[in-house]
Amino acid sequence: MKMVVCGCCAASWRRCVVMCLRLLFLFPAGLPVRSQGESQSDNKQMDNITVRQGETVFLSCSQGDFVTHTAWLNRSSILYAGEDKWSVDPRVSLVTFNQDEFTIRIEDVDLADEGQYICAVQTSSRPRTTSVHLIVQVPPKIVNLSKDLVVNEGSNVTLMCLANGKPEPAIIWRMISPLDDGLSSDIEVLEIPFITRQSAGIYECTAANDIAVDTQTVELTVNYPPSVSEGRDVGVTLGQRSVLQCEADAVPEADFEWYRDEMRILNDFDGIEIENAGVLSKLTFFNVSEADYGNYTCVAINKLGSANTNIVLYEIIEPTSSTLLQGPGAVQDGNSGTSMMFTPTCLLLIIILQLLLKF
């Protein structure tokens, strides 16, 4: 007969107790030690258990008749020995303990709970162990994402998206505003060389695995110098209201300046108002005079450059009542300024009279 004796020191009592429990189940006192080649215990491997982070899992094993000792172990820790709880983790609790079943519960499972669990049962005849591997799946979470960026046109841009999860999540970058299906990537780092204004917008990073999806966005702003639409000349009669318009595309938005020849026009000029609203600037004349006619220049400026366009304000002469009476057949008298009207009938009589005089 062979007995198993354990001696525990105070400094490492827990590790020693674990070892003694394992020895107890492998070499129970009062049982003969089997010769080499004989099975000292029945070991059973259960199917893996897969749970998601935050869920509750139940670990159960059957005991059978004449059970003398029972324990649930996790790696080097004892969770339960019979009805006695050894684990200090409040998430672990005993659900069922009787002659047929030994079940414990672990709530709010975390990644640290992953690993092998062993149910050790000592019967009157031999020890028996049942092991199961707990796999914890973790939904993806983006942990490192590039901040919103403001860059100048022509720069090289790098967008980064790093995520944790189990299984390891796949990363997908795509441009969502404005929608551009051609600008996408399936790697953590998105490289955009020599960026243009068309590449400005909202970029979405998606991290996905079998459990869930995590999505976050980055706004990319591209600065570029102004470009001004070609100005349209405006005609107006004296004394009327007229508006000259200037439109500029720029990021950041352009500031506008108006010039007449070399002189800058300011808002405090009599009869003139300048109104700027986003990409549009308006130069308004409330009562056009002779002095207002001429060539005007609109200049759009931001920190990256400037652009300009020319607009001509020209005079439209309204017809008078005398000019309306004068038809295409009127002849202007250079001395008196009066006109004589010749109808087609009169012209015919004159031609006939000239033919008769020849004969």
Side-chain angles (χ1 to χ4, degrees), residues 32-303:
V33 178
R34 299 173 184 266
S35 61
Q36 187 175 4
E38 293 181 309
S39 174
Q40 295 181 356
S41 63
D42 292 335
N43 298 320
K44 180 181 178 182
Q45 176 68 45
M46 297 174 60
D47 293 336
N48 294 340
I49 298 178
T50 301
V51 295
R52 296 184 181 183
Q53 187 182 42
E55 292 183 342
T56 297
V57 65
F58 294 87
L59 303 179
S60 178
C61 69
S62 59
Q63 299 197 102
D65 297 332
F66 310 111
V67 174
T68 59
H69 300 85
T70 307
W72 267 108
L73 302 91
N74 174 15
R75 296 182 291 273
S76 61
S77 300
I78 302 172
L79 302 178
Y80 266 89
E83 294 183 282
D84 298 328
K85 182 178 180 180
W86 285 56
S87 172
V88 296
D89 193 335
R91 300 175 302 132
V92 180
S93 59
L94 180 65
V95 178
T96 305
F97 180 74
N98 55 41
Q99 194 67 29
D100 300 320
E101 183 183 344
F102 184 26
T103 300
I104 62 172
R105 173 176 55 206
I106 305 175
E107 299 176 342
D108 193 20
V109 173
D110 202 354
L111 193 60
D113 298 317
E114 187 172 83
Q116 188 179 42
Y117 290 77
I118 298 175
C119 175
V121 175
Q122 173 62 52
T123 68
S124 58
S125 58
R126 63 182 183 278
R128 183 178 70 250
T129 62
T130 302
S131 63
V132 60
H133 193 85
L134 182 64
I135 299 174
V136 180
Q137 293 182 326
V138 181
K141 181 176 179 58
I142 297 174
V143 295
N144 189 353
L145 184 72
S146 295
K147 306 287 186 183
D148 292 344
L149 291 177
V150 179
V151 299
N152 293 338
E153 192 171 37
S155 301
N156 296 326
V157 175
T158 299
L159 299 180
M160 178 178 293
C161 180
L162 302 179
N164 292 335
K166 191 171 182 290
E168 184 178 353
I171 302 295
I172 296 178
W173 276 106
R174 66 190 187 102
M175 187 176 183
I176 61 172
S177 177
L179 182 61
D180 186 353
D181 294 333
L183 190 53
S184 62
S185 173
D186 58 357
I187 57 177
E188 295 176 338
V189 178
L190 176 63
E191 300 280 357
I192 310 175
F194 200 73
I195 195 166
T196 65
R197 64 194 70 182
Q198 288 75 25
S199 297
I202 305 296
Y203 288 78
E204 179 186 76
C205 173
T206 300
N209 63 11
D210 297 337
I211 311 305
V213 174
D214 188 19
T215 300
Q216 295 189 33
T217 59
V218 176
E219 182 174 5
L220 179 58
T221 302
V222 180
N223 292 333
Y224 53 90
S227 59
V228 179
S229 301
E230 185 176 354
R232 299 179 61 180
D233 298 342
V234 177
V236 64
T237 57
L238 282 173
Q240 299 298 310
R241 182 177 181 273
S242 183
V243 179
L244 307 184
Q245 297 191 55
C246 179
E247 187 174 353
D249 178 28
V251 176
E253 284 187 348
D255 295 321
F256 292 93
E257 296 178 359
W258 286 92
Y259 292 85
R260 168 72 186 273
D261 298 327
E262 299 296 326
M263 182 182 68
R264 182 176 177 182
I265 302 172
L266 301 176
N267 232 340
D268 56 359
F269 281 23
D270 289 340
I272 295 178
E273 179 184 77
I274 298 175
E275 182 183 2
N276 298 327
V279 300
L280 187 65
S281 179
K282 296 180 180 180
L283 177 64
T284 302
F285 300 86
F286 294 100
N287 186 5
V288 175
S289 66
E290 285 282 359
D292 292 329
Y293 294 122
N295 185 57
Y296 292 84
T297 301
C298 170
V299 182
I301 307 168
N302 71 4
K303 63 182 181 179

Side-chain angles (χ1 to χ4, degrees), residues 322 326 329-342:
S322 60
Q326 295 177 5
V331 177
Q332 185 73 29
D333 188 343
N335 295 324
S336 64
T338 59
S339 60
M340 298 177 62
M341 300 294 294
F342 291 92

